[in-house]
């Protein structure tokens, strides 16, 4: 009897950013909630099943008030998945978790006013703001060898190492990774969900490489590429590699 | 003010204690006043290698705890009058080493000696980090095999981040001492080559100590190899390393090869 060994299924762990509705409540809350009710009345289910984040920046409230607001919102079927700009003193285990580093995206279009209805007091900016483009992409340059046990984590963009990356060292980058030296350690590029990130090195001896959550260990790498200058990229869910130069 | 030298490696059994004793004796024979401090609290060996195990009364922990004066704990070598040993405690554990205590002892030793050689324990825990904490110069002892090289790389990272010198923004002076090098095995490919080790660690080479029975024989005699048999190959290599520590330019020879390798090896200071 032969038993076919099934391929072990790796667990994929990676960062991913999602679009969420960001609500900015204003004091007094009952007036703001009334405006929200009005908005919801014009379009039943606008908030239904949409992830929403509460932006508390500049609001001077205490934890009880916040709890009350979250309760009021959940009565209206608005599920708050996170709090932005909240002071640490406001947070608690039964409240949604804090979220950081929010980036602006196109505004959600508010439901259009139905005919015969007065425009509501709560106005929502209906002209979508263009997604900011042309922002400089940050990068990190390291001019020393990355030693065993050291870990470089830079989720904002590219990492360039002028030197080698030792066995047992680790680089995690949101963008691409460039190693002008021997790559012996582990490198993970595109960890925030960037599938176009690439890995470049002057000499490939890596223990593990990963792009956007897909990884290959040294064993899975083409032995013909060992010791060579190589670039690696993702095509679909397959890591491709070719010799450079 | 003397210089504080830490002999470290990460991995155990690579020859830290042997090298500390041999370099200490070599530097002392050159006329310098030298003290070798054993930081391996709980697993002390330096006293055996230096043949002072029957003369230990007080130790480093006693001094740190204020139970003895520094002068009471220092043991003078019987063969070299300017070579001293500060033994570690065998019965206590490393938690007895405090940052302030070590600082006080090192500061006092620096005033009285030209060289304070700190023999680090293996590992990257308290004992090892305290041994390197006050160092001016570091010797990374490495065997030509992959696990030792990787551990050394880890230690170099710590030397560049956890020492007082590094925290003050200065560059820690680091040297590689390649020990137990067997040219025959390196030729067969059973061992890493000198070039490979240098390429991975990218720190300047202080010396290559050949694998030799003379080292083991000297340890069992209770004498540093540079005292037991000054004419043996490892002793000569240690003497050369000591001269390089003093700033002299001495060519490095790879055991088993005739020509000097200075230009190719010691000349390539990297990182």
């Amino acid at each position: 009897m032969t038993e076919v060994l099934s391929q072990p299924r790796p667990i994929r762990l990676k960062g991913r950013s999602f679009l969420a509705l960001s609500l900015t409540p204003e004091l007094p809350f009952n007036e703001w909630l009334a405006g929200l009710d009005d908005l919801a009345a014009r379009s039943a289910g606008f908030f239904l099943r949409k992830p929403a984040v509460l932006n508390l920046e500049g609001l001077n409230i205490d934890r009880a008030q916040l709890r009350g607001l979250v309760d009021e919102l959940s009565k209206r079927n608005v599920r708050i998945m996170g709090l932005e700009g909240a002071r640490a003193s406001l947070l608690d285990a039964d409240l949604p978790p804090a979220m950081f580093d929010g980036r602006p995206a196109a505004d959600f279009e508010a439901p259009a006013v139905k005919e015969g209805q007065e425009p509501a007091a709560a106005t929502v900016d209906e002209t979508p703001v263009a997604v900011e483009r042309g922002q400089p992409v940050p990068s990190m340059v390291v001019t020393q060898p990355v030693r065993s046990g050291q870990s470089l984590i830079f989720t904002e963009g590219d990492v360039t190492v002028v030197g080698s990356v030792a066995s047992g060292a680790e680089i995690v980058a949101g963008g691409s990774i460039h190693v002008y030296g021997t790559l012996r350690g582990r490198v993970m590029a595109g960890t925030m969900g960037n599938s176009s990130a690439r890995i470049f090195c002057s000499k490939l001896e890596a223990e593990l490489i990963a792009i956007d959550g897909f990884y290959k260990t040294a064993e899975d790498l083409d032995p013909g590429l060992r010791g060579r200058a190589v670039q690696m990229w993702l095509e679909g869910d397959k890591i491709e590699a070719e010799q450079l130069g | 003010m003397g210089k504080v030298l830490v002999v470290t490696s990460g991995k155990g059994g690579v020859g830290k204690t042997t090298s500390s004793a041999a370099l200490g004796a070599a530097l002392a024979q050159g006329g310098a006043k030298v003290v070798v401090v054993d930081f391996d609290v709980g697993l002390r060996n330096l006293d055996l290698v230096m043949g002072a195990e029957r003369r230990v009364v007080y130790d480093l922990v006693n001094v740190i705890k204020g139970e003895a004066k520094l002068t009471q704990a220092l043991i003078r070598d019987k063969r070299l009058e300017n070579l001293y040993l500060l033994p570690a405690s065998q019965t206590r554990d490393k938690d007895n080493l405090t940052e302030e205590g070590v600082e006080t002892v090192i500061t006092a030793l620096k005033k009285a000696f030209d060289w304070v050689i700190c023999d680090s324990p293996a590992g990257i825990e308290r004992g090892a980090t305290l041994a390197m904490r006050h160092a001016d110069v570091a010797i990374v002892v490495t065997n030509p095999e992959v696990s030792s090289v990787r551990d050394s790389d880890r230690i170099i990272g710590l030397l560049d981040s956890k020492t007082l010198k590094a925290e003050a923004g200065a560059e820690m002076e680091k040297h590689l001492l390649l020990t137990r090098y067997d040219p025959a095995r390196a030729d067969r490919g059973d061992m890493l080559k000198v070039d490979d080790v240098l390429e991975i660690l990218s720190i300047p080479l202080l010396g290559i100590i050949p694998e030799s029975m003379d080292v083991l024989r000297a340890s069992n005699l209770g004498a540093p190899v540079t005292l037991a048999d000054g004419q043996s190959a490892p002793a000569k290599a240690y003497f050369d390393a000591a001269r390089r520590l003093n700033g002299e330019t001495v060519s490095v020879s790879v055991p088993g090869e005739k020509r000097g390798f200075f230009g190719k090896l010691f000349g390539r200071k990297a990182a």
Side-chain angles (χ1 to χ4, degrees):
Chain A
M1 204 174 79
T2 53
E3 202 174 70
V4 179
L5 282 173
S6 61
Q7 196 78 12
R9 293 277 293 276
I11 293 172
R12 293 181 62 198
L13 287 173
K14 54 186 195 168
R16 204 181 248 293
S17 61
F18 295 92
L19 210 56
L21 195 68
S22 173
L23 288 172
T24 312
E26 284 161 30
L27 284 168
F29 283 152
N30 29 359
E31 270 179 37
W32 183 78
L33 283 168
L36 194 76
D37 286 340
D38 193 68
L39 184 69
R42 281 186 274 138
S43 169
F46 177 62
F47 291 111
L48 212 62
R49 286 191 292 274
K50 276 213 182 97
V53 173
L54 266 191
N55 187 346
L56 301 173
E57 214 146 334
L59 269 188
N60 199 12
I61 51 168
D62 58 24
R63 196 180 284 165
Q65 279 175 286
L66 176 62
R67 208 168 268 146
L69 178 65
V70 173
D71 286 345
E72 282 297 320
L73 285 168
S74 65
K75 272 188 214 158
R76 291 164 171 80
N77 281 327
V78 182
R79 299 277 304 273
I80 302 298
M81 58 172 283
L83 301 174
E84 198 182 2
R87 296 189 307 276
S89 58
L90 277 176
L91 301 171
D92 204 3
D94 61 333
L95 285 167
M99 298 180 88
F100 306 97
D101 292 333
R103 263 164 290 191
D107 281 3
F108 279 89
E109 239 173 276
V113 180
K114 279 180 192 157
E115 265 181 84
Q117 261 188 320
E118 287 291 304
T123 56
V124 175
D125 190 359
E126 286 184 33
T127 50
V129 177
V131 180
E132 285 177 68
R133 283 183 208 282
Q135 285 183 37
V137 178
S139 61
M140 179 194 236
V141 179
V142 180
T143 53
Q144 283 179 327
V146 185
R147 304 279 181 190
S148 184
Q150 291 176 336
S151 178
L152 278 182
I153 299 170
F154 185 70
T155 52
E156 288 87 350
D158 289 11
V159 173
T160 306
V161 180
V162 188
S164 54
V165 177
S167 160
E170 181 177 79
I171 298 179
V172 180
S176 298
I177 296 172
H178 309 254
V179 180
Y180 294 95
T182 310
L183 168 56
R184 297 192 178 84
R186 307 154 66 94
V187 289
M188 285 145 248
T191 44
M192 303 302 283
N194 178 359
S195 57
S196 62
R198 292 188 176 208
I199 296 169
F200 305 84
C201 61
S202 340
K203 196 174 172 197
L204 180 70
E205 302 279 354
E207 291 164 348
L208 180 144
I209 56 136
I211 302 172
D212 189 18
F214 293 93
Y215 70 87
K216 269 189 176 181
T217 56
E219 277 199 348
D220 309 325
L221 288 167
D222 176 6
L225 292 170
R226 274 196 60 177
R228 302 191 184 276
V230 170
Q231 69 157 326
M232 285 159 283
W233 68 96
L234 200 59
E235 256 178 41
D237 54 4
K238 198 162 173 283
I239 293 179
E240 299 283 348
E242 71 169 26
Q243 202 177 323
L244 282 170
Chain B
M1 267 307 214
K3 265 193 172 176
V4 181
L5 170 77
V6 62
V7 179
T8 186
S9 70
K11 196 173 184 300
V14 295
K16 284 181 296 298
T17 300
T18 306
S19 297
S20 300
L23 283 171
L27 286 165
Q29 286 177 74
K33 203 175 171 199
V34 181
V35 60
V36 191
V37 186
D38 193 348
F39 270 84
D40 206 347
V41 175
L43 286 169
R44 75 170 188 221
N45 283 143
L46 190 62
D47 53 330
L48 287 171
V49 174
M50 291 180 69
E53 73 277 12
R54 288 185 294 173
R55 294 196 286 144
V56 176
V57 182
Y58 294 111
D59 55 52
L60 179 62
V61 170
N62 292 134
V63 178
I64 284 177
K65 297 209 132 190
E67 296 157 356
K69 287 199 194 107
L70 190 52
T71 44
Q72 292 176 296
L74 285 170
I75 302 170
R76 174 184 283 196
D77 190 89
K78 280 190 169 164
R79 296 144 294 200
L80 283 170
E81 62 170 17
N82 49 347
L83 178 63
Y84 288 77
L85 163 71
L86 181 55
S89 170
Q90 181 72 350
T91 49
R92 318 272 186 110
D93 61 41
K94 292 185 173 73
D95 296 339
N96 286 298
L97 291 178
T98 60
E99 173 131 19
E100 306 76 45
V102 170
E103 187 175 353
T104 316
V105 171
I106 297 283
T107 312
L109 290 174
K110 261 169 93 168
K111 282 184 189 141
F113 291 90
D114 300 318
W115 286 98
V116 180
I117 301 178
C118 304
D119 178 24
S120 168
I124 52 173
E125 281 80 38
R126 192 177 184 80
T129 48
L130 278 176
M132 68 169 70
R133 186 92 181 126
H134 302 271
D136 300 306
V137 188
I139 291 181
V140 180
V141 181
T142 306
N143 289 167
E145 47 103 9
V146 282
S147 55
S148 172
V149 171
R150 187 203 267 177
D151 289 0
S152 294
D153 195 62
R154 178 89 166 96
I155 278 290
I156 295 169
L158 293 178
L159 285 166
D160 282 336
S161 60
K162 296 276 156 91
T163 51
L164 284 177
K165 215 175 167 185
E167 281 172 10
E171 168 113 23
M172 169 66 80
E173 189 184 329
K174 302 169 291 278
H175 299 279
L176 174 69
L177 189 65
L178 200 59
T179 53
R180 309 194 67 168
Y181 185 80
D182 185 338
R185 288 180 60 201
D187 276 350
R188 285 201 304 268
D190 300 344
M191 260 183 181
L192 286 176
K193 293 220 164 56
V194 178
D195 265 348
D196 297 337
V197 180
L198 281 174
E199 203 262 318
I200 295 173
L201 296 178
S202 53
I203 57 171
L205 183 64
L206 184 72
I208 304 170
I209 313 298
E211 171 84 306
S212 163
M213 281 305 290
D214 296 325
V215 177
L216 190 64
R217 202 175 299 125
S219 288
N220 287 333
L221 279 174
V225 68
T226 42
L227 267 178
D229 183 1
Q231 290 309 305
S232 63
K236 281 179 171 169
Y238 277 119
F239 277 119
D240 282 352
R243 284 166 65 196
R244 285 180 205 110
L245 268 181
N246 275 322
E248 278 184 57
T249 310
V250 186
S251 66
V252 177
S253 57
V254 177
E257 290 190 37
K258 290 284 173 279
R259 67 201 159 91
F261 250 60
F262 177 76
K264 201 177 167 202
L265 298 173
F266 193 59
R268 36 183 270 181
K269 174 167 176 149

